[in-house]
Amino acid sequence: MGHEGVGFKSGSTRSGLPTTRSRVPRGRQIQKTFNNVKITVLCGFVTLLVLRGTIGVGNLTGSTLESEDQRVVEDIDRILREIRTDSEPEPQDPLSSLYFANSTAHNWTYAEAVEAVNYSLGPKISDWDQQRQVWLSQNPNFPNRLLGKHRILLVTGSPPNPCDNAIGDHYLLKSTKNKIDYCRLHGIEIVYNMAHLDKELAGYWAKLPLIRKLMLSHPEIEWIWWMDSDAFFTDMAFELPLEKYKNHNLIIHGYPDLLFEQHSWIALNTGSFLFRNCQWSLDLLDAWAPMGPKGIVRELAGKILTANLKGRPAFEADDQSALIYLLTSQQDKWMSKVYVENSYYLHGFWAGLVDKYEEMIEQNHPGLGDERWPFVTHFVGCKPCGSYGDYPVERCLNSMERAFNFGDNQVLRLYGFAHKGLVSPKIKRVQDQTSDPLQVKEKLDMAARITM
Amino acid sequence: MLERCIGERRLRQIQRGVRNMKLTFLCLLLTLLVLRGTIGAGKYGTPQQDFIELRQRFISHPHRALAEQNQPEPKPKKSDKDDEPPLRSLNDPYSLGPKISDWDSQRADWIRRHPERPNFLTKTKPRVLLVTGSSPKPCENPVGDHYLLKSIKNKIDYCRVHNIEIFYNMALLDAEMAGFWAKLPLIRALLLAHPEVEFLWWMDSDAMFTDMAFELPWERYAPYNLVMHGWDEMVYKDKNWIGLNTGSFLLRNCQWSLDLLDAWAPMGPKGPVRTEAGKILTKTLKDRPVFEADDQSAMVYLLVTQKEKWANKVYLESAYYLHGYWGILVDRYEEMIENYHPGLGDHRWPLVTHFVGCKPCGKFGDYPVERCLKQMDRAFNFGDNQILQMYGFTHKSLASRRVRRVRNETSNPLEVKDELGLLHPDFKAVQHHAS
């Protein structure tokens, strides 16, 4: 509030002389406006700076639902890409260097390729039975029997990377829970493998080095039970009849006529089988492995298998066909100790089973393990983790959900619950709570009929 | 015209005054904004809170971007839709189940009748059931299920080495107690259905074992029924809502525990009960933000308000990381590998690394997605290395899924012992009796 006099100079007028409003010169008007604009811009800038400091600039640019979603999706995509670039590189075909170095055009035969690669699962062991016996006698705290039953180790696994199809990981999770449940009820240990132990025997062959390694590391384990990640337990009450297998070392689901008469490539199924921890099994693994090494060996082996096994399409050697070929071509050496089991579904092909679950619930009860109440429902060909299966995705996923819930009902029963339907994740109470829960538990029979 | 009324000089004075006031007001506004942003304005919140509130309001809508991805889900039946229970009123008390008063004797009878399933595996080692779980629906986040899978593999490994059974829950037993409260009805059902279990060990799905060699000190807990990670002073003196953690705790199977569950549950039922309880908890507990009642705060509140009744049987463990907050652990793994060894369980080699706030199954956690997932990979590999070394392998690095051999195959595998002695450890040994 200064004294305004002639000498007063305001920022917006040059001379101190007041001028009438109607006659403000153009120049000064523009200058005034310009100054106002300057101040406005300055204030706006400072405001932005302050807001940026408090809530961040990205969030100012329309933080709507869509853009948040978009950013999270982009983040996750980028992370998935990074994860996938860290995967195993294609293993060097051990023969490539030999193949291309050889100047004369040489058609490798399978036998030559095997010899050149000279693959071995590990140093030869010839006295495993004795080694094991000595160890067991020195370690009475790690017996091979618990409560009279031989110890079993269930082995399964999946690749270390996230599935190509996200729903695949969800069903791997459910499959794992399903195995945890069965194994808890039957006192079986589980090893879930996510590591590539041997780059040459990658893919379906990866189970061979894994089984051998576990056998040799755990002499207290009597049976190693390999089970694919796409196989579900659907009979929680069924106990393996191990006494039947007293004199056998390999228990595998299959059909003797398909095996011996027709040499069919699906005569046996290596998605669920048991190996006794003994010298015989180590020898069989050694005889089985040669067709496995990735590259030329597997290719050439595949051709031999397609030529010798009925119905086999042309593709590289797989462990199942190789085992069938081995057992049929060296019958006398191996078959006496192999039990081809088909009195119950140690492996049950899903397509013929999943639609009958409701019928089974109505007419039968758990504990049978066979076509009336399958022990294992195996989703061969579905490949929910990968991008391409042999069956429509929707059918596969729907059926896997049904199989999971069918098995889960038998577990939930212990707590008085059941699924609302075979497709529903929701549950309902089927037995009222009581203040005397142990009386109910005493009467509970795992093999009793299920009411839904 | 105004000029003629007031006079030109006056007019300009007024104009100047107005301009000055505008400037002053603007500066004041800016100052307030900055202060609010830096030190907060109490109940008027901070910009950060504004943002979170805004985000939360929009998040309640379904996430179209992810939901539209090709994820065929099983078609839900019509009956699924009408199973939302009516919200419980404040006057209607909740109960986990019919009151049981003689559980200790019921259980003792059972154990006597079933000697093949004893509640103690050796003189000191109890039968333990580790309980964890996740939703039966696929995760919203496409990699969420993959991390749940790795997490359960991690638990399978620890439990195999330590002879602990696992229960993986995917069922919502009581729709009223949804969310973090779902563990209460589950724990009660499991305690009653498994009298042979001595201790139930609840563990969140976002917690991973990072010390495979550490065996819990069972003898220490003989006089107690509830063991949680936490600090006595922070709970009983400070009444801090994070004075203990209910993401990983042990509960003995006994009458006391059933009573505790009954006392714990009332704040849980969804709806006005949970909201009102949340307000009480925020008022009573230190530093607790405003949100509906959660089981952890409710436990602190219970222990603080009914100390005489419960505290003598509750052990707040801080000697090792029964729960280890990931934020202070994950960057130190390489340092730990260099300076220490497994079997310590504490800050030198944590037993459990718990990814609180990450929420890998959902889309929005409290931390950036990338940091969470990368660190979960590292924690997983840190633990997995201890399992792989049993078989002669290790991860190429803490960030890599690939493995390399560290011990050659031999024709005398039984003469080789793994470094950590986890293949046949003492705590897995079976009590040797004539069987």
Side-chain angles (χ1 to χ4, degrees):
Chain A
M1 211 158 86
H3 188 70
E4 214 177 37
V6 170
F8 167 74
K9 281 184 172 51
S10 79
S12 48
T13 56
R14 282 260 162 108
S15 76
L17 292 170
T19 53
T20 60
R21 236 177 47 200
S22 49
R23 297 228 27 134
V24 173
R26 246 307 141 75
R28 275 187 223 127
Q29 227 179 357
I30 293 171
Q31 222 163 13
K32 247 210 292 204
T33 321
F34 184 58
N35 278 328
N36 280 342
V37 168
K38 252 199 308 194
I39 291 176
T40 312
V41 166
L42 208 70
C43 289
F45 182 62
V46 174
T47 310
L48 270 173
L49 222 63
V50 167
L51 284 177
R52 187 176 183 281
T54 50
I55 63 180
V57 75
N59 308 318
L60 281 179
T61 53
S63 57
T64 61
L65 176 67
E66 294 247 344
S67 71
E68 266 306 312
D69 260 5
Q70 206 44 45
R71 189 129 33 84
V72 175
V73 169
E74 277 164 16
D75 270 347
I76 293 171
D77 275 343
R78 182 168 39 84
I79 293 166
L80 280 172
R81 266 200 308 276
E82 273 176 33
I83 292 175
R84 293 204 173 103
T85 54
D86 180 49
S87 19
E88 291 292 346
E90 273 299 297
Q92 265 289 336
D93 174 8
L95 272 190
S96 308
S97 46
L98 292 167
Y99 194 77
F100 292 110
N102 201 330
S103 49
T104 64
H106 183 115
N107 259 333
W108 287 81
T109 63
Y110 168 69
E112 286 169 338
V114 167
E115 209 184 294
V117 167
N118 201 17
Y119 176 81
S120 140
L121 281 169
K124 180 101 185 105
I125 299 177
S126 322
D127 60 342
W128 178 237
D129 289 334
Q130 292 93 297
Q131 283 193 38
R132 204 176 154 236
Q133 276 315 311
V134 167
W135 191 93
L136 284 172
S137 60
Q138 289 173 346
N139 290 275
N141 289 337
F142 288 91
N144 67 334
R145 273 182 200 273
L146 283 178
L147 289 176
K149 221 180 76 163
H150 269 144
R151 283 168 86 149
I152 306 176
L153 178 67
L154 186 109
V155 184
T156 185
S158 58
N161 289 346
C163 289
D164 287 337
N165 191 347
I167 198 77
D169 277 311
H170 181 69
Y171 281 97
L172 282 174
L173 184 68
K174 283 191 140 137
S175 165
T176 307
K177 169 188 156 60
N178 172 274
K179 293 178 173 85
I180 290 175
D181 286 331
Y182 181 85
C183 292
R184 182 183 64 252
L185 290 167
H186 294 265
I188 295 173
E189 291 178 56
I190 304 177
V191 165
Y192 194 99
N193 181 53
M194 271 176 153
H196 290 135
L197 297 186
D198 188 331
K199 297 171 196 40
E200 284 187 68
L201 288 202
Y204 17 62
W205 287 93
K207 58 180 81 115
L208 269 72
L210 178 64
I211 291 174
R212 184 179 198 269
K213 175 54 91 170
L214 289 170
M215 270 197 220
L216 299 180
S217 306
H218 294 284
E220 73 276 14
I221 294 294
E222 184 71 17
W223 291 100
I224 300 257
W225 183 354
W226 167 267
M227 200 157 156
D228 278 357
S229 59
D230 55 1
F232 285 77
F233 283 105
T234 34
D235 190 340
M236 293 291 174
F238 186 82
E239 180 86 20
L240 286 175
L242 290 178
E243 331 71 48
K244 243 165 87 170
Y245 311 132
K246 271 202 313 269
N247 300 318
H248 297 88
N249 296 333
L250 170 61
I251 320 303
I252 188 164
H253 186 272
Y255 300 98
D257 53 335
L258 279 180
L259 182 62
F260 299 118
E261 284 155 43
Q262 296 191 40
H263 295 219
S264 159
W265 80 297
I266 50 170
L268 302 174
N269 189 283
T270 52
S272 172
F273 60 89
L274 288 104
F275 253 121
R276 192 186 291 275
N277 191 352
C278 60
Q279 182 62 48
W280 183 97
S281 301
L282 293 179
D283 296 336
L284 181 66
L285 286 169
D286 282 336
W288 190 2
M291 285 192 168
K294 198 146 172 65
I296 291 178
V297 172
R298 218 187 268 191
E299 290 284 330
L300 294 175
K303 298 201 172 88
I304 296 178
L305 295 173
T306 306
N308 284 294
L309 298 181
K310 176 170 176 231
R312 187 182 195 270
F315 68 110
E316 58 177 19
D318 66 302
D319 61 311
Q320 184 172 295
S321 313
L323 183 66
I324 293 172
Y325 181 71
L326 176 64
L327 294 180
T328 49
S329 55
Q330 298 182 25
Q331 241 181 30
D332 304 322
K333 185 166 182 196
W334 305 107
M335 281 317 293
S336 60
K337 294 290 187 182
V338 177
Y339 196 109
V340 179
E341 176 67 83
N342 54 21
S343 65
Y344 61 90
Y345 279 130
L346 179 59
H347 138 85
F349 179 56
W350 66 284
L353 297 170
V354 292
D355 297 313
K356 303 205 186 107
Y357 287 145
E358 280 87 358
E359 193 188 302
M360 294 173 191
I361 293 172
E362 229 175 286
Q363 299 174 356
N364 300 317
H365 59 87
L368 304 167
D370 51 25
E371 71 281 350
R372 295 169 295 173
W373 201 283
F375 181 36
V376 170
T377 303
H378 185 189
F379 287 87
V380 188
C382 269
K383 301 194 184 82
C385 192
S387 320
Y388 305 103
D390 304 332
Y391 303 92
V393 172
E394 180 93 36
R395 169 134 171 86
C396 271
L397 297 181
N398 205 300
S399 307
M400 289 173 91
E401 187 71 25
R402 282 166 56 80
F404 172 80
N405 289 340
F406 184 74
D408 200 32
N409 275 342
Q410 300 166 51
V411 177
L412 289 174
R413 194 214 317 226
L414 292 166
Y415 312 104
F417 287 89
H419 283 263
K420 285 191 171 177
L422 284 187
V423 160
S424 172
K426 300 203 164 124
I427 59 169
K428 60 174 190 238
R429 193 173 268 292
V430 293
Q431 180 143 69
D432 287 326
Q433 289 186 296
T434 148
S435 54
D436 201 355
L438 293 179
Q439 246 205 24
V440 175
K441 188 177 162 82
E442 287 280 22
K443 297 205 193 85
L444 185 68
D445 179 7
M446 283 292 290
R449 294 181 69 146
I450 295 238
T451 42
M452 275 195 65
Chain B
M1 185 187 71
L2 216 58
E3 273 179 34
R4 273 186 235 122
C5 293
I6 307 172
E8 286 206 28
R9 204 196 305 172
R10 250 288 135 86
L11 179 68
R12 220 159 329 121
Q13 251 181 344
I14 290 173
Q15 269 183 340
R16 212 171 14 133
V18 167
R19 203 167 46 230
N20 282 342
M21 256 175 45
K22 264 199 292 196
L23 246 92
T24 313
F25 180 66
L26 214 68
C27 290
L28 197 69
L29 188 68
L30 236 72
T31 312
L32 273 173
L33 219 66
V34 171
L35 283 176
R36 185 168 177 271
T38 46
I39 63 178
K43 66 173 174 152
Y44 296 108
T46 64
Q48 190 68 30
Q49 279 181 16
D50 281 347
F51 176 60
I52 291 174
E53 263 168 58
L54 269 170
R55 210 177 68 178
Q56 278 180 354
R57 188 136 47 102
F58 286 125
I59 281 176
S60 53
H61 297 301
H63 300 282
R64 271 186 319 226
L66 284 191
E68 274 168 15
Q69 276 190 10
N70 186 16
Q71 286 194 19
E73 272 190 34
K75 297 181 186 46
K77 285 223 192 107
K78 242 193 307 177
S79 56
D80 283 358
K81 295 221 172 66
D82 54 347
D83 62 351
E84 280 298 314
L87 295 178
R88 187 175 288 270
S89 81
L90 293 168
N91 309 317
D92 187 12
Y94 172 82
S95 153
L96 282 168
K99 179 98 185 111
I100 298 178
S101 320
D102 61 342
W103 179 238
D104 287 333
S105 61
Q106 279 193 40
R107 194 173 163 245
D109 275 340
W110 169 275
I111 291 169
R112 229 184 347 261
R113 284 199 307 272
H114 295 266
E116 75 282 2
R117 297 277 287 164
N119 59 329
F120 273 84
L121 303 177
T122 69
K123 278 212 172 54
T124 47
K125 190 178 161 86
R127 185 187 297 273
V128 181
L129 179 68
L130 186 116
V131 184
T132 185
S134 59
S135 165
K137 305 209 176 85
C139 287
E140 274 185 28
N141 182 337
V143 283
D145 281 304
H146 178 71
Y147 285 91
L148 285 174
L149 184 69
K150 286 177 91 158
S151 175
I152 188 59
K153 170 191 155 57
N154 170 276
K155 294 179 174 85
I156 288 174
D157 286 331
Y158 181 89
C159 291
R160 182 179 66 255
V161 170
H162 291 264
N163 215 349
I164 292 175
E165 292 177 46
I166 301 179
F167 187 90
Y168 195 95
N169 182 54
M170 274 178 154
L172 181 60
L173 268 59
D174 189 338
E176 269 193 282
M177 302 285 267
F180 16 62
W181 289 94
K183 59 176 81 112
L184 266 72
L186 174 67
I187 291 175
R188 186 177 198 270
L190 289 171
L191 290 177
L192 297 181
H194 293 286
E196 73 278 12
V197 167
E198 181 66 20
F199 267 111
L200 192 146
W201 184 350
W202 168 267
M203 200 156 155
D204 278 356
S205 60
D206 55 0
M208 292 219 204
F209 282 105
T210 33
D211 191 340
M212 295 295 177
F214 185 84
E215 171 80 354
L216 262 61
W218 301 110
E219 311 83 36
R220 192 188 302 174
Y221 305 140
Y224 301 100
N225 295 335
L226 172 59
V227 181
M228 294 178 286
H229 184 269
W231 301 269
D232 283 323
E233 325 80 56
M234 273 185 79
V235 171
Y236 298 114
K237 256 186 38 190
D238 278 359
K239 304 194 180 133
N240 196 318
W241 79 298
I242 49 170
L244 49 79
N245 189 282
T246 52
S248 172
F249 64 88
L250 300 164
L251 188 66
R252 192 183 293 276
N253 192 349
C254 59
Q255 181 63 47
W256 183 97
S257 301
L258 295 182
D259 296 336
L260 179 80
L261 289 169
D262 282 336
W264 192 7
M267 287 189 167
K270 240 173 21 177
V273 175
R274 212 186 274 191
T275 325
E276 285 308 309
K279 296 190 184 137
I280 298 175
L281 294 172
T282 304
K283 217 165 42 150
T284 323
L285 302 179
K286 179 168 175 228
D287 287 348
R288 186 183 193 269
V290 177
F291 68 111
E292 56 178 17
D294 65 303
D295 60 313
Q296 184 171 299
S297 310
M299 173 58 79
V300 178
Y301 182 80
L302 186 63
L303 291 182
V304 159
T305 53
Q306 297 183 32
K307 186 171 177 187
E308 334 69 47
K309 187 160 181 202
W310 307 107
N312 65 330
K313 289 292 188 182
V314 175
Y315 190 91
L316 292 178
E317 176 70 77
S318 51
Y320 64 90
Y321 279 130
L322 180 59
H323 138 86
Y325 171 59
W326 67 287
I328 55 172
L329 297 171
V330 291
D331 296 309
R332 294 180 34 230
Y333 286 145
E334 280 84 2
E335 184 197 308
M336 294 174 190
I337 292 172
E338 227 188 87
N339 299 324
Y340 303 114
H341 57 85
L344 304 168
D346 53 22
H347 61 281
R348 297 168 295 173
W349 201 286
L351 171 66
V352 172
T353 302
H354 186 186
F355 287 86
V356 190
C358 270
K359 303 193 182 76
C361 193
K363 252 183 3 167
F364 297 105
D366 306 331
Y367 302 94
V369 169
E370 174 138 21
R371 172 142 170 91
C372 273
L373 298 186
K374 284 221 156 102
Q375 296 307 327
M376 288 176 87
D377 275 333
R378 279 164 53 82
F380 173 84
N381 288 344
F382 185 75
D384 199 32
N385 276 343
Q386 300 162 50
I387 298 294
L388 288 173
Q389 64 83 35
M390 288 198 270
Y391 307 113
F393 288 86
T394 193
H395 282 267
K396 288 193 164 169
S397 78
L398 282 188
S400 173
R401 285 165 160 73
R402 291 150 70 179
V403 303
R404 64 182 167 85
R405 193 181 272 287
V406 291
R407 208 167 57 229
N408 284 331
E409 298 289 324
T410 148
S411 54
N412 283 316
L414 296 177
E415 283 169 20
V416 176
K417 281 208 152 62
D418 69 299
E419 241 180 68
L420 300 176
L422 293 180
L423 279 174
H424 303 100
D426 285 334
F427 40 74
K428 197 179 175 186
V430 167
Q431 190 147 50
H432 180 54
H433 51 259
S435 57

